[in-house]
């Protein structure tokens, strides 16, 4: 019978550490938020999150989407637990996309503060990533990312581990990343913080795309952009770092479907 229905993964709530279950819920919710916002690319792209030491005993393990499922099919229980080598650490019936774990494991393993990593191929994101000048410091959102954006040159599909050191060198300590000719990426200390960074970068790209379709943008002076970045509090853990926005979006997701909680 076609199409093949997704495998039914029994709830893991009673079988995993309570801290892991909470991380699973948060990540599954994020996949549904991305779907609601239209940030999907068929069955491709990834959001990953490291499991806390209370679960792993200090090993670097993270959760990734089951390859083959659309973001609207991701649930807390069918997320796949893997290590930095991409080895599955559970009995998930789903494979893992090498293009996902190679890039994400590089960042999780190489940047201590990279608790969460998000990567998209939105139209606006790929369009700006394909411009020679990249992100233009010319709108309200790009001004809030002054000094926060890194660039990495395109080397093809990210399935080769030897690209990892070059990715880390390109990123440095900047949490908003434009993968040239490819798409957008963000990383952060928490999932909501990572989301806030990516959302701001995505909005900056959308507005740049609209502006440049009409003509040359008005540049924001460097000192004003630096002031905007200092004054913007949405990335600051002391001010919630995106928690309130993310929780509001999860409430919207729940009005559509609560199946992600399974």
């Amino acid at each position: 019978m076609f199409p093949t229905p997704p495998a039914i993964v029994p709830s893991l709530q009673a079988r995993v550490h309570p801290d892991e279950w909470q991380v699973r819920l948060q990540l599954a919710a994020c996949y549904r938020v991305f779907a609601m916002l239209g940030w999907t690319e068929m069955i491709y792209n990834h959001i990953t999150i490291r499991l806390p030491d209370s679960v792993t005993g200090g090993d670097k393990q993270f959760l990734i989407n089951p390859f083959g499922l659309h973001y609207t099919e991701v649930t807390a229980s069918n997320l796949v637990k893997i290590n930095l080598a991409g080895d599955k650490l559970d009995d998930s019936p789903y494979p893992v996309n090498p293009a996902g774990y190679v890039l994400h494991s590089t960042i999780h393993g190489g940047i201590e503060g990279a608790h969460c990593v998000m990567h998209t191929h939105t139209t606006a994101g790929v369009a700006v990533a394909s411009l020679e000048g990249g992100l233009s410091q010319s709108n309200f959102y790009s001004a809030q990312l002054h000094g926060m954006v890194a660039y990495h040159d395109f080397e093809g599909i990210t399935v080769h581990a030897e690209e990892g050191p070059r990715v880390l060198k390109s990123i440095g300590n900047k949490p908003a990343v434009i993968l040239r000719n490819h798409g957008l990426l963000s990383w952060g200390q928490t999932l909501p913080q990572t989301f806030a960074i990516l959302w701001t970068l995505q909005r900056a790209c959308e507005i740049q795309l609209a502006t440049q379709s009409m003509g040359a943008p008005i540049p924001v002076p460097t000192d004003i952009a630096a002031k905007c970045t200092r004054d913007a509090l949405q990335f600051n853990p002391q001010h919630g770092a995106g928690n309130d926005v993310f929780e509001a979006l999860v409430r919207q997701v729940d009005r559509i479907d609560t199946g992600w909680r399974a």
Side-chain angles (χ1 to χ4, degrees):
M1 184 177 180
F2 184 82
T4 303
I8 297 175
V9 178
S11 175
L12 297 180
Q13 183 171 6
R15 296 165 49 197
V16 299
H17 192 289
D19 292 347
E20 177 175 336
W21 184 248
Q22 290 304 309
V23 173
R24 284 178 172 273
L25 284 172
Q26 188 182 55
L27 183 56
C30 192
Y31 275 103
R32 299 304 182 96
V33 167
F34 271 43
M36 182 176 68
L37 295 175
W39 293 1
T40 59
E41 189 76 1
M42 306 295 282
I43 60 172
Y44 305 103
N45 293 172
H46 308 279
I47 315 163
T48 56
I49 191 166
R50 273 180 56 182
L51 289 167
D53 290 347
S54 60
V55 174
T56 68
D59 292 339
K60 289 187 176 180
Q61 302 172 5
F62 58 100
L63 298 173
I64 193 169
N65 51 318
F67 189 47
L69 296 189
H70 189 264
Y71 282 13
T72 56
E73 298 176 302
V74 173
T75 69
S77 294
N78 67 25
L79 288 162
V80 185
K81 187 192 316 187
I82 61 176
N83 59 21
L84 294 181
D87 301 318
K88 290 198 293 184
L89 303 177
D90 52 24
D91 58 355
S92 172
Y94 293 100
V96 174
N97 183 7
Y101 83 76
V102 170
L103 178 61
H104 287 242
S105 65
T106 293
I107 298 170
H108 282 301
I111 301 176
E112 189 57 36
H115 177 70
C116 180
V117 181
M118 300 178 177
H119 174 47
T120 59
H121 287 180
T122 61
T123 299
V126 178
V128 170
S130 301
L131 286 174
E132 185 174 353
L135 188 68
S136 168
Q137 192 173 273
S138 60
N139 64 63
F140 179 81
Y141 294 102
S142 61
Q144 295 178 55
L145 295 169
H146 178 71
M148 294 176 59
V149 181
Y151 291 85
H152 178 66
D153 289 339
F154 187 58
E155 297 188 27
I157 299 174
T158 54
V159 294
H160 303 289
E162 62 266 22
E163 185 179 355
R166 295 187 291 277
V167 170
L168 295 175
K169 183 178 180 180
S170 295
I171 292 174
N173 63 353
K174 295 180 178 179
V177 184
I178 294 178
L179 302 170
R180 293 192 186 276
N181 310 102
H182 186 169
L184 306 180
L185 183 144
S186 66
W187 60 269
Q189 299 173 32
T190 67
L191 185 147
Q193 181 190 50
T194 308
F195 176 82
I197 294 167
L198 184 63
W199 184 87
T200 305
L201 182 59
Q202 170 67 21
R203 285 293 287 146
C205 290
E206 290 172 348
I207 294 168
Q208 178 175 333
L209 196 63
T211 303
Q212 290 184 325
S213 72
M214 299 183 293
I218 303 169
V220 174
T222 298
D223 59 333
I224 298 298
K227 181 175 180 288
C228 287
T229 300
R230 288 195 304 270
D231 290 346
L233 302 175
Q234 73 268 33
F235 311 136
N236 190 328
Q238 295 181 352
H239 295 272
N243 274 301
D244 49 358
V245 170
F246 184 71
E247 289 175 1
L249 291 170
V250 174
R251 290 193 294 271
Q252 290 187 49
V253 166
D254 272 337
R255 294 188 187 101
I256 299 169
D257 179 17
T258 59
W260 60 273
R261 295 180 176 272

